[in-house]
Amino acid sequence: MAKIIGGVATSHVPAIGRAIAKELQADPYWAPFFEGYAPLHRWLAQARPDVVVVFYNDHGLNFFLDKMPTFAVGAAETYRNADEGWGIPEVPPFTGQRELSWHLINSLVAEDFDLTTCQEMLVDHAFTLPMALCWPDQRWPVTVVPVCINTVQFPLPSAARCWRLGEAVGRAVRHWDSDARVMVLGTGGLSHQLDGQRAGFINRDFDRAFMQSLIDDPTWATRFSIPELVEKTGTQGVELLMWLAMRGALGEQVHEVSRNYHIPISNTAAGLMVLATDD
Ligand code: DHB
Ligand code: FE
């Protein structure tokens, strides 16, 4: 059976794509952010994942307000990036792991999750930049399964439901008849608000408590409703739902490989956590 080797959660601010393209990694503004990824690269070199399941939120590239699935799972041969207006260069396409896609889709529907199945799917900065942060040469050594969670148009799925989605993905991966080493990636957050009167809002105390909860008390954030999460983390801070789904997929036993937290990158509190499973 397939093995989940660990999970990574990272912010996905579009400005990271511009910094990568302009090679600004050592620039004083960017160094405290990019330096946080060195332990991740060391861990990836020894953990050697074959497949990555990516929990992320599309921001209008593949889904727009006219059609907005709550949960969508990719089942494509390849996933291309495209210009989404942030001025980020496009990255090379990703190869899909279709066998795992269909296994996940079948397992999740059997567990009563309503999904949109995408046999064609463009992936935006929320998918591409975390992948480029994991593998800076952008020669992706893994196949992928995108799992998109709506955090863009209300109503959003609750934190408890995203946790359960993550748990169900974890169960399905562990029952996949394959010897693949699977990593789970969750992208977005941490606290940020891009619009309205609170634009620029960041909540360091909540972010730190949330990161610690993923180690000590992983369902802690499921006690908050979506409006409470918006109040605590900002309108876009709810992207932490992807971190929660990632953690749900890992199962009970994890150990922390590394963590970084840096304020701000663009308008966002940038976070990174690398968690390995102990089994
Ligand atoms: C920013 C952050 C995001 O998560 C995003 O999707 C777009 C922009 C920002 O801070 O600029
Ligand atoms: Fe975002």
Side-chain angles (χ1 to χ4, degrees):
M1 293 295 152
K3 182 178 161 87
I4 297 187
I5 56 165
V8 175
T10 172
S11 305
H12 62 219
V13 182
I16 300 163
R18 186 178 161 279
I20 291 172
K22 296 203 172 297
E23 298 184 4
L24 298 175
Q25 289 88 340
D27 179 276
Y29 179 86
W30 285 102
F33 172 79
F34 280 103
E35 279 164 6
Y37 291 82
L40 167 61
H41 299 151
R42 287 194 289 276
W43 178 73
L44 285 171
Q46 55 94 23
R48 292 173 292 102
D50 306 304
V51 185
V52 185
V53 176
V54 187
F55 290 106
Y56 75 110
N57 59 305
D58 182 88
H59 300 69
L61 181 69
N62 193 69
F63 303 115
F64 201 61
L65 304 182
D66 58 337
K67 299 180 191 72
M68 185 57 70
T70 302
F71 301 128
V73 179
E77 292 281 3
T78 30
Y79 300 93
R80 280 192 312 103
N81 183 209
D83 182 4
E84 43 177 318
W86 296 99
I88 321 168
E90 289 168 31
V91 303
F94 302 86
T95 303
Q97 173 40 264
R98 293 183 77 217
E99 192 185 311
L100 179 57
S101 289
W102 285 109
H103 174 71
L104 283 186
I105 291 162
N106 283 314
S107 306
L108 293 171
V109 170
E111 290 205 36
D112 297 336
F113 283 94
D114 295 324
L115 307 175
T116 298
T117 301
C118 301
Q119 300 193 61
E120 291 183 0
M121 196 179 199
L122 293 172
V123 286
D124 78 351
H125 68 273
F127 186 103
T128 62
L129 297 179
M131 291 293 286
L133 289 166
C134 287
W135 292 285
D137 66 3
Q138 300 187 13
R139 295 157 61 113
W140 321 121
V142 289
T143 52
V144 300
V145 179
V147 181
C148 185
I149 300 179
N150 168 36
T151 58
V152 170
Q153 176 165 262
F154 281 76
L156 312 189
S158 69
R161 189 153 171 75
C162 293
W163 171 266
R164 288 198 297 272
L165 177 76
E167 283 186 317
V169 165
R171 269 193 298 277
V173 170
R174 282 184 216 97
H175 285 105
W176 180 34
D177 186 10
S178 161
D179 56 10
R181 297 167 65 76
V182 181
M183 176 181 127
V184 187
L185 180 56
T187 95
L190 285 171
S191 58
H192 63 300
Q193 171 144 347
L194 303 178
D195 48 5
Q197 288 186 341
R198 286 204 315 173
F201 174 80
I202 279 175
N203 186 345
R204 180 196 304 258
D205 290 343
F206 186 89
D207 288 339
R208 287 193 187 281
F210 174 64
M211 289 174 95
Q212 189 56 36
S213 78
L214 296 184
I215 306 295
D216 298 338
D217 183 12
T219 59
W220 173 75
T222 64
R223 74 188 60 189
F224 301 113
S225 67
I226 293 294
E228 285 169 336
L229 286 174
V230 168
E231 189 187 334
K232 289 177 191 310
T233 70
T235 40
Q236 282 73 35
V238 281
E239 289 177 346
L240 66 77
L241 294 177
M242 265 61 73
W243 291 49
L244 209 49
M246 176 283 290
R247 178 63 189 85
L250 299 187
E252 278 175 29
Q253 289 301 316
V254 299
H255 73 261
E256 180 174 339
V257 175
S258 79
R259 150 178 4 191
N260 193 39
Y261 183 75
H262 175 67
I263 296 174
I265 289 298
S266 182
N267 295 294
T268 300
L272 167 69
M273 274 184 100
V274 182
L275 305 173
T277 54
D278 284 328
D279 56 350

